[in-house]
Amino acid sequence: AVELVESGGGSVQAGESLTLSCVLNGFRYRYRRCVGWFRQPPGKGREAVALLYDGAKVTYGSSAKGRFTINDDNAKNTLTLEMKSLEPDDTAMYYCAVDTRMRPSCGTVSSDFAVWGRGTQVTVSS
């Protein structure tokens, strides 16, 4: 069975940094070429934060550009999201997800991602 397990969330002050981790258990690489981080703020829908295809092609959401970095350590089966200069608007539940469709690029919406972790909460106070 495949499983995603996130960690690293917490409560921080604005301007501080956090790094989230996601362990990808049970995946063969050809089914996890597209991996990503999404977030869901309180009372809002889920949005893509950062998507990574084949360890090389990165797509960042507008709110993440210049502040967040996604990295996929395939040898350790671990996906990370380094977040710097955090703002109160970054407060959300963060999820890692895998698009298992084996397409030549990542899906663009959350429904394209079949496997999800349970999430890790990030709270940023001003």
Side-chain angles (χ1 to χ4, degrees):
V2 297
E3 181 185 35
L4 303 176
V5 181
E6 302 100 332
S7 62
S11 297
V12 297
Q13 298 287 320
E16 293 184 341
S17 302
L18 275 176
T19 297
L20 307 182
S21 295
C22 174
V23 178
L24 291 75
N25 291 318
F27 287 89
R28 292 186 177 183
Y29 184 71
R30 64 178 180 266
Y31 294 113
R32 59 160 309 318
R33 296 179 71 179
C34 173
V35 292
W37 287 96
F38 290 77
R39 70 184 185 186
Q40 187 163 13
K44 297 184 180 180
R46 196 167 293 187
E47 63 178 2
V49 176
L51 306 177
L52 179 61
Y53 182 79
D54 215 10
K57 183 177 180 181
V58 181
T59 302
Y60 289 105
S62 57
S63 61
K65 288 180 181 178
R67 300 188 300 130
F68 295 1
T69 304
I70 187 172
N71 185 59
D72 184 7
D73 188 336
N74 188 39
K76 296 182 179 179
N77 292 325
T78 300
L79 181 70
T80 59
L81 182 69
E82 182 181 7
M83 305 185 294
K84 297 182 179 179
S85 302
L86 286 163
E87 304 166 352
D89 284 347
D90 295 316
T91 295
M93 184 69 80
Y94 284 72
Y95 301 89
C96 66
V98 178
D99 177 352
T100 59
R101 299 175 300 159
M102 295 190 291
R103 298 286 179 86
S105 61
C106 278
T108 57
V109 295
S110 59
S111 58
D112 291 332
F113 290 75
V115 185
W116 293 81
R118 292 178 178 270
T120 185
Q121 178 67 39
V122 173
T123 302
V124 185
S125 56
S126 56

